[in-house]
Amino acid sequence: MADPARAARLAKRITTIVASAIGGEIKDPRLAHVTITDCRVTGDLHDATVFYTVMGASVDAEPDVAEAAAGLAAATGALRSKVGAGTGVRFTPTLRFELDTVPDATRAMDELLARARAQDEMVARTARDAKPAGDTDPYRHDEADDAEGSAG
């Protein structure tokens, strides 16, 4: 079992190597919109999970996640060779690519918060414009009790 700090340093180095290789050295058009977001290395330094996201060709275009996954699968051997050359560790970790779901979860959470804010605004508007059903002050006060007690 390696030192966790060493595993973290190796993960950061793998992230940098893979991202720069995808950005400039791997000439696969399927990887044009892939961004490497994180990497996790096991304690024995033998396996690395590289997380990635895929952006669409334009703001409105849906990302082609299946094509990006196929491109990463095809480039895994070349990327592992680059990681081995760039890290200098005795055993080059195997690379496994996994789609990063954090941006999607963040987007969904933002939508939920926006809906909750809109609902809160609607409730506040309704409460502000509400009129009491009966008396404006339906509660008994001490002055009324004192007046009844002295009269009886």
Side-chain angles (χ1 to χ4, degrees):
M1 188 94 175
D3 180 29
R6 182 174 181 210
R9 283 192 310 271
L10 181 62
K12 187 171 185 174
R13 183 72 182 131
I14 290 172
T15 301
T16 304
I17 292 169
V18 170
S20 65
I22 287 174
E25 299 169 27
I26 306 291
K27 302 295 182 199
D28 192 338
R30 298 176 289 186
L31 302 179
H33 301 289
V34 171
T35 303
I36 303 301
T37 57
D38 195 15
C39 180
R40 304 257 168 82
V41 178
T42 58
D44 61 0
L45 307 180
H46 283 235
D47 299 305
T49 303
V50 180
F51 295 94
Y52 67 95
T53 59
V54 183
M55 296 185 304
S58 67
V59 175
D60 298 330
E62 278 294 314
D64 195 354
V65 177
E67 284 293 312
L72 286 170
T76 299
L79 291 171
R80 186 170 181 222
S81 297
K82 292 188 181 303
V83 166
T87 57
V89 293
R90 184 177 4 184
F91 181 82
T92 303
T94 58
L95 299 179
R96 184 171 61 102
F97 292 95
E98 195 170 306
L99 185 64
D100 194 354
T101 58
V102 170
D104 295 333
T106 303
R107 192 174 309 110
M109 189 63 72
D110 286 342
E111 290 172 4
L112 287 173
L113 287 172
R115 283 198 330 218
R117 281 190 205 104
Q119 191 72 20
D120 287 347
E121 287 176 19
M122 186 181 76
V123 168
R125 254 194 322 269
T126 303
R128 186 177 52 239
D129 298 337
K131 303 265 188 278
D135 294 336
T136 56
D137 188 11
Y139 300 105
R140 190 186 266 180
H141 296 284
D142 290 338
E143 305 90 41
D145 291 340
D146 290 339
E148 287 178 11
S150 61

